[in-house]
Amino acid sequence: MATDSKTAATLNELTLFVNDRIEGYKHATTESTDPQHKAYYQELANQSQQFANELNGFARSAGSDGQTGTTTKGKLYRGWMDAKALVTGRDEAAVLESNIYGEEWALKAYQEALADSDLTGPARQAVERQYQISQQTYSKLKAMKSGA
């Protein structure tokens, strides 16, 4: 049972960061003026929602209620970005940079979850798959920034 509660705690912590990812990409969708970027950010918000649903399913199987909230750090960061946008304007580069920064935090959260040796079986496989997709997203965002 201790393993289940530790697994649930790991999944819950990761889900909070995935929920931050959802909110960040929803925010980017409203801030972006580029139609292609808006569509991509919406796709990422939807993808993140699927990730959260999957993680919450595993957390519930491990005895938790799952997570619907976000991290305090994520809330503060989104507030800071809103204030920055008021001062600097809502330009595409700033929106993109915010998404890159957010994806870096998501990658760290995945790495921490994967460092938990109690996370095994299908839950670990799901986290590994999500981590790989997040790495691809990070690479694509960086490429968008450099204009590639």
Side-chain angles (χ1 to χ4, degrees):
M1 187 62 180
T3 298
D4 277 356
S5 65
K6 190 161 192 294
T7 298
T10 295
L11 292 167
N12 284 337
E13 180 71 18
L14 178 57
T15 304
L16 289 172
F17 281 95
V18 172
N19 289 342
D20 278 335
R21 194 175 187 256
I22 294 166
E23 292 303 315
Y25 286 124
K26 282 182 180 178
H27 193 76
T29 300
T30 62
E31 295 289 316
S32 178
T33 56
D34 181 301
Q36 289 180 317
H37 288 187
K38 278 173 118 37
Y40 184 55
Y41 299 149
Q42 185 58 55
E43 177 186 323
L44 293 173
N46 293 341
Q47 175 192 83
S48 299
Q49 185 62 63
Q50 292 171 350
F51 287 179
N53 292 345
E54 184 176 33
L55 295 172
N56 276 327
F58 285 117
R60 281 190 285 281
S61 293
S64 169
D65 291 335
Q67 290 293 327
T68 58
T70 58
T71 66
T72 300
K73 183 181 283 187
K75 290 173 189 157
L76 292 172
Y77 180 68
R78 286 187 296 279
W80 180 78
M81 290 308 300
D82 284 342
K84 181 179 171 185
L86 288 173
V87 173
T88 64
R90 303 185 192 290
D91 70 343
E92 229 28 68
V95 173
L96 190 53
E97 191 62 42
S98 295
N99 289 330
I100 290 168
Y101 181 77
E103 204 62 39
E104 289 170 350
W105 277 103
L107 288 170
K108 288 177 187 173
Y110 278 106
Q111 290 164 354
E112 287 179 16
L114 289 169
D116 181 356
S117 61
D118 289 322
L119 184 64
T120 60
R124 175 172 277 284
Q125 291 170 350
V127 171
E128 287 172 346
R129 181 181 42 75
Q130 290 182 17
Y131 176 59
Q132 290 172 351
I133 292 169
S134 187
Q135 288 175 311
Q136 293 166 358
T137 298
Y138 179 70
S139 294
K140 183 169 180 175
L141 291 169
K142 296 282 281 184
M144 289 166 61
K145 180 181 175 187
S146 66

